Amino acid sequence: MSTFIARMVEQAADRSEEQGKAKYRAYFVATKIYAKWKADVDTILTTDGYEAVIVEE
């Protein structure tokens, strides 16, 4: 599941950084049901060079 979420965020970020941030917020800020995958997704995004889309609020 972590890989899927990261891929969705990365695809949005490829369109624009703001879309990537919005997708990240949709998974991890707006709802908490995906919280158990957040650490893995953050690692994937950082490794792939998308750390700019990681937001806390």
Side-chain angles (χ1 to χ4, degrees), residues 3-56:
T3 306
F4 172 78
I5 294 170
R7 185 178 35 192
M8 294 298 103
V9 173
E10 289 175 358
Q11 286 176 352
D14 286 340
R15 290 189 290 278
S16 78
E17 186 175 309
E18 281 308 311
Q19 286 185 19
K21 288 179 180 181
K23 183 66 75 173
Y24 186 90
R25 283 186 191 99
Y27 279 112
F28 299 115
V29 178
T31 183
K32 301 299 180 200
I33 62 173
Y34 300 105
K36 63 183 170 184
W37 294 292
K38 184 179 183 306
D40 289 339
V41 171
D42 287 355
T43 300
I44 294 168
L45 292 174
T46 301
T47 300
D48 291 351
Y50 289 89
E51 62 273 348
V53 301
I54 299 172
V55 293
E56 296 302 321

